Amino acid sequence: SSELTQDPAVSVALGQTVRITCQGDSLRSHYASWYQQKPRQAPVLVIYGRNTRPSGIPDRISGSSSGNTASLTITGAQAEDEADYYCNSRDSSNNHLVFGGGTKLTVL
Amino acid sequence: QVQLQQSGPGLVKPSQTLSLTCTVSGGSITGGGLFWTWIRQLPGKGLEWIGYISYSGSTSYNPSLKSRVTISLYTSKNQFSLNLNSVTAADTAMYYCAREVAGAGYYFDFWGQGALVTVSS
């Protein structure tokens, strides 16, 4: 399968921890990358590889993976973390790419 | 710092060809391990991978769009382009160019600003 599945919406109380998951067969052989998209803005890379944050991404955002599931964890969620989050990986052929459907994170 | 600047018309008539260009500054388009990618986002929807062209010129396209898509590389101008032919209203979307890196996995580290393309007569 070349699909990545995400929960459409997740909510978290301010200051609490939230995990956003991404499931797909391709994740057994490829790392997921994660993107944060705020309204009317281009997506921003937040996690890639095993658990690498680009410069400027706060360390409360982390990534992990097990089997066919990749996870993005925000520890101590802040209001500015409210956004859509997308996972992405190469598919099993390694030639095509696929995005998850996205998860809308609401910080309460 | 790498920057991607998109250009192209914001309105395209049905059945015509959508053409967008992405100009890369701050880095070479022929750098190894780089894949120059087009991604789109239909109104209110998620991200959809359209295709890429590698630093060496090889291409890969989304099977659902493959028959209508051409991505080209212009090394002398440090640009790459998207042509999507026979467009319909269903192709109305925000189009992004992005740089995919093959390193610790594959990931898009730099994105263009996005271009809203409307297909309408």
Side-chain angles (χ1 to χ4, degrees):
Chain A
S1 169
S2 60
E3 293 183 351
L4 295 178
T5 301
Q6 297 183 241
D7 290 329
V10 172
S11 61
V12 61
L14 186 67
Q16 297 303 300
T17 296
V18 62
R19 175 173 292 183
I20 298 169
T21 60
C22 173
Q23 288 189 303
D25 288 343
S26 62
L27 299 180
R28 296 185 185 278
S29 53
H30 292 289
Y31 290 122
S33 54
W34 290 92
Y35 304 86
Q36 178 192 71
Q37 187 181 34
K38 296 182 178 179
R40 296 172 296 282
Q41 295 184 18
V44 172
L45 176 69
V46 293
I47 289 288
Y48 66 96
R50 185 180 299 273
N51 179 21
T52 303
R53 287 183 308 277
S55 173
I57 302 302
D59 61 5
R60 64 178 180 272
I61 295 177
S62 63
S64 61
S65 183
S66 178
N68 74 336
T69 301
S71 300
L72 180 77
T73 300
I74 303 176
T75 304
Q78 302 299 303
E80 59 262 34
D81 298 327
E82 187 163 287
D84 294 328
Y85 290 85
Y86 294 92
C87 61
N88 164 257
S89 81
R90 287 287 179 113
D91 73 358
S92 301
S93 75
N94 205 39
N95 288 327
H96 295 162
L97 286 85
V98 60
F99 282 98
T103 297
K104 182 177 183 59
L105 175 66
T106 300
V107 179
L108 303 172
Chain B
Q1 176 82 338
V2 173
Q3 292 187 319
L4 280 68
Q5 180 71 37
Q6 299 178 222
S7 58
L11 181 64
V12 181
K13 295 185 187 308
S15 79
Q16 294 192 344
T17 298
L18 180 160
S19 296
L20 295 172
T21 298
C22 189
T23 301
V24 180
S25 60
S28 173
I29 204 166
T30 57
L34 301 178
F35 300 84
W36 303 96
T37 303
W38 289 96
I39 294 159
R40 72 180 184 179
Q41 188 167 31
L42 304 180
K45 301 297 185 183
L47 301 172
E48 179 181 26
W49 173 72
I50 298 171
Y52 67 67
I53 187 164
S54 75
Y55 60 98
S56 62
S58 62
T59 56
S60 181
Y61 301 128
N62 187 320
S64 69
L65 298 169
K66 184 176 181 178
S67 63
R68 300 193 291 130
V69 173
T70 303
I71 297 176
S72 304
L73 197 67
Y74 302 96
T75 56
S76 62
K77 296 182 179 180
N78 233 36
Q79 294 176 337
F80 63 107
S81 69
L82 168 70
N83 276 2
L84 179 67
N85 60 37
S86 304
V87 297
T88 70
D91 295 308
T92 293
M94 182 70 79
Y95 287 78
Y96 295 100
C97 60
R99 186 180 87 162
E100 186 192 28
V101 176
Y106 294 86
Y107 52 93
F108 300 106
D109 59 350
F110 293 103
W111 294 66
Q113 78 275 24
L116 179 62
V117 179
T118 301
V119 178
S120 175
S121 56

